[in-house]
Amino acid sequence: MTGKSFTVLGIETSCDETAAAVVRGLAPGPGEILSNIVFSQVEAHAPYGGVVPEIASRAHLEIIDGVIERALADAKLTLGELDGIAVTAGPGLIGGVMVGLTTAKALALGSGKPLLAVNHLMGHAMTVRLTHGVEFPFLLLLVSGGHCQLLGVGGPQDFRLYGSTIDDAVGEAFDKTAKILGLPYPGGPAVEQAAKTGNPRAHELPRPLVTGHNVRANAEFSFSGLKTAVRQLHDRGGARIEDVSAAFQAAVIDILTDRTRTAMAMFRKDFPTGNVLVMAGGVAANQAIGTALAKLAKDEGFVTRIPPPALCTDNAAMIAWAGVEKLAAGSAGDPLSVSPRARWPLADI
Ligand code: KG4
Ligand code: ZN
């Protein structure tokens, strides 16, 4: 590694994991993860089949201090040895974001270290630089519980939106499908597991907005029709949960593959020499989706980069790394008056 490397504490509280991590490195990466603590609230939310914002913010508040202490202890570092304190300032559940941001502000004030307000989606988007040192530009398929987007990423401030969902996010579709089928929360891993022993051709499910069915110039997604079809199929009775899961996952794969192919053409116009496809967000942890996208990429002359599953789902290492990127780009930190944001699209950066 040439040049000065940065050591940053990251804090993530925008959904249902309370996380803190310390990362060291220099753009474009790869970086070194010195510690990575993720406390999942899954059990607290499981009875409700989804994240309950009130429960989430209370749980963040109860454990955030301990999680940060452990991240620093695991990294064998004190606050004074850091170059900055990075924290998710949005988008996300506002109560949770406020807990993390307020904690980070207090630490920054107390230690005199720069506060680095990070966009959660930026964290997901930059993870492949932390793990693989991927250079700009790259095509990003960002698939999580709250987001489903295809973006051309030309630099840390250059995001071009090629398509997003007009209704549900893909992770949300997995979670709702799991709920319909009586599978445990979070739905993604449960549906993927059930699909392994199911027959994807046992049932015909719709592929909304797939080219040829309903041709669109851009790379938009729609999942609500698919979710309704899963509900109707299940309500009719007699369908095996494994088969419905497999048919659902096959439809998702077809939709993601088709939209990504469209976005590849848009990306090539913007970046003629670009050839890297990156997947990020919780749904990128799905092996079947990863395999299908890797095959598409190969056919289209792209290479695929997907972070390991534990860095696809929410974590603070990605937030710390986004902080490293900010420092490397010359940021002196954000003012302590920075506000939490429930909505904060990447294309606004
Ligand atoms: O990125 P993430 O941890 O949180 C958000 O920012 O939304 O993503 C969580 C989402 C959930 O909807 C979860 O069901 C989904 O990612 N997910 C998966 C898998 N693992 C997590 N979806 C499909 N297959 C998986 N293996
Ligand atoms: Zn996320």
Side-chain angles (χ1 to χ4, degrees), residues 92 97 123 130 198 243-244 270 280 284:
V97 175
L130 165 63
D243 291 342
V244 181
D270 283 344

Side-chain angles (χ1 to χ4, degrees), residues 227-273:
K227 175 194 67 193
T228 306
V230 167
R231 186 185 303 283
Q232 285 165 351
L233 174 61
H234 183 71
D235 286 354
R236 276 204 299 277
R240 287 177 68 233
I241 284 170
E242 291 81 0
D243 291 342
V244 181
S245 297
F248 165 80
Q249 190 169 270
V252 168
I253 286 174
D254 281 355
I255 296 167
L256 293 180
T257 308
D258 181 86
R259 302 293 78 190
T260 304
R261 190 184 291 112
T262 302
M264 282 171 165
M266 298 161 89
F267 176 75
R268 274 200 208 93
K269 278 206 187 106
D270 283 344
F271 305 101
T273 59

Side-chain angles (χ1 to χ4, degrees), residues 41-327:
Q41 303 174 4
V42 159
E43 278 169 24
H45 300 286
Y48 309 96
V51 179
V52 184
E54 260 306 304
I55 294 177
S57 14
R58 192 178 295 257
H60 286 308
L61 196 56
E62 276 168 13
I63 62 166
I64 184 77
D65 292 348
V67 168
I68 292 170
E69 267 170 37
R70 249 194 74 193
L72 287 169
D74 279 11
K76 299 188 177 61
L77 289 172
T78 60
L79 279 177
E81 293 169 289
L82 301 173
D83 294 301
I85 297 165
V87 61
T88 300
L93 300 172
I94 199 71
V97 175
M98 281 168 66
V99 171
L101 187 56
T102 309
T103 306
K105 284 178 181 178
L107 293 176
L109 191 64
S111 66
K113 300 293 175 182
L115 173 76
L116 302 157
V118 167
N119 180 305
H120 177 86
L121 303 175
M122 175 79 104
H124 279 304
M126 297 295 150
T127 304
V128 280
R129 288 164 62 80
L130 165 63
T131 57
H132 294 80
V134 172
E135 305 254 9
F136 300 118
F138 53 84
L139 174 63
L140 172 66
L141 174 62
L142 178 56
V143 277
S144 73
H147 301 273
C148 186
Q149 301 182 342
L150 278 156
L151 298 139
V153 185
Q157 312 260 30
D158 178 6
F159 293 90
R160 303 165 196 220
L161 185 62
Y162 299 140
S164 61
T165 180
I166 59 172
D167 41 57
D168 294 345
V170 61
E172 204 177 347
F174 268 96
D175 294 336
K176 287 176 177 171
T177 291
K179 201 169 178 180
I180 292 166
L181 298 179
L183 292 171
Y185 170 84
V191 171
E192 180 177 21
Q193 192 55 34
K196 281 184 183 152
T197 51
N199 174 8
R201 282 173 297 279
H203 306 285
E204 183 74 29
L205 290 172
R207 275 110 170 105
L209 300 187
V210 166
T211 321
H213 291 245
N214 181 351
V215 183
R216 297 234 173 179
N218 63 13
E220 277 180 0
F221 298 92
S222 168
F223 292 100
S224 74
L226 177 57
K227 175 194 67 193
T228 306
V230 167
R231 186 185 303 283
Q232 285 165 351
L233 174 61
H234 183 71
D235 286 354
R236 276 204 299 277
R240 287 177 68 233
I241 284 170
E242 291 81 0
D243 291 342
V244 181
S245 297
F248 165 80
Q249 190 169 270
V252 168
I253 286 174
D254 281 355
I255 296 167
L256 293 180
T257 308
D258 181 86
R259 302 293 78 190
T260 304
R261 190 184 291 112
T262 302
M264 282 171 165
M266 298 161 89
F267 176 75
R268 274 200 208 93
K269 278 206 187 106
D270 283 344
F271 305 101
T273 59
N275 70 340
V276 180
L277 170 68
V278 168
M279 274 176 73
V283 181
N286 184 295
Q287 303 292 314
I289 294 175
T291 305
L293 268 293
K295 183 179 179 306
L296 167 75
K298 196 157 174 269
D299 293 348
E300 298 284 331
F302 276 70
V303 294
T304 318
R305 294 284 177 261
I306 308 175
L311 294 175
C312 285
T313 49
D314 286 349
N315 65 87
M318 68 181 191
I319 303 304
W321 177 258
V324 168
E325 295 258 2
K326 279 185 83 150
L327 290 173

